[in-house]
Amino acid sequence: MTVDRTVKLTYVVTWREISDGLKIQMRHSPVGRWGYRAWWGLISFLGLVSAINLLARGVDAVGLGLWKFLLTLCLLLVAIRWLTALVLLAYARHLGEHRVTVDADGISSVSERHTNQTNWNFYGRGVEGRRVFVLLTPDIWGTGVLVLPKRGLADPRDSEQLRSLITKHLAVA
């Protein structure tokens, strides 16, 4: 059994880490999972309708404008997470370098323009990704998200300590 100790992270947020955090948020929040299924259901339905229309009437039956609209819609929906990550990156970069301390009491974050102390009971669960640890609030939207990049750890062994702190204090998804 590991003894609780303080884990410190120091990092400047990157677009990839925010994008990974948003992807994890969407996969592990109830509304995100519902939206993901609805999105793929809509794509499947449109694909089926288009295939039936093409088989029944031929290529000329569907106008080029409709195909452009559907392609634009699909690209826009895929890009929403990327655009959201860009907006959040601008905010995170405005805050500057983040110095985060995680211990038995909670998570303390200090940046050049902001200081925040959060208790463990604010978050409902933690999820580990390839590059990040993500803490999510227990609400149906999963709106409260904290992304902790693994590259911010001073020592690779701290990753195991951070994982054990998250597991001890939160449900792990």
Side-chain angles (χ1 to χ4, degrees), residues 46 49-50 53 61-73:
L46 289 174
V49 168
S50 297
N53 195 19
V62 179
L64 185 59
L66 179 62
W67 287 109
K68 287 181 182 178
F69 171 73
L70 290 176
L71 179 62
T72 304
L73 179 66

Side-chain angles (χ1 to χ4, degrees), residues 86-96 98 114:
L86 280 175
V87 170
L88 291 174
L89 178 63
Y91 174 69
R93 290 278 168 95
H94 170 72
L95 294 177
H98 292 71
H114 185 262

Side-chain angles (χ1 to χ4, degrees), residues 53-132:
N53 195 19
L54 285 173
L55 291 173
R57 297 182 182 173
V59 177
D60 295 335
V62 179
L64 185 59
L66 179 62
W67 287 109
K68 287 181 182 178
F69 171 73
L70 290 176
L71 179 62
T72 304
L73 179 66
C74 290
L75 290 175
L76 181 63
L77 289 174
V78 168
I80 284 176
R81 187 181 85 237
W82 298 341
L83 295 172
T84 304
L86 280 175
V87 170
L88 291 174
L89 178 63
Y91 174 69
R93 290 278 168 95
H94 170 72
L95 294 177
E97 181 181 72
H98 292 71
R99 293 173 302 284
V100 178
T101 304
V102 181
D103 57 22
D105 295 329
I107 300 101
S108 173
S109 175
V110 178
S111 70
E112 295 169 13
R113 294 179 176 87
H114 185 262
T115 301
N116 185 32
Q117 172 67 37
T118 308
N119 296 330
W120 284 108
N121 59 7
F122 179 76
Y123 296 105
R125 60 191 172 281
V127 182
E128 182 177 0
R130 187 172 41 161
R131 294 179 195 81
V132 295

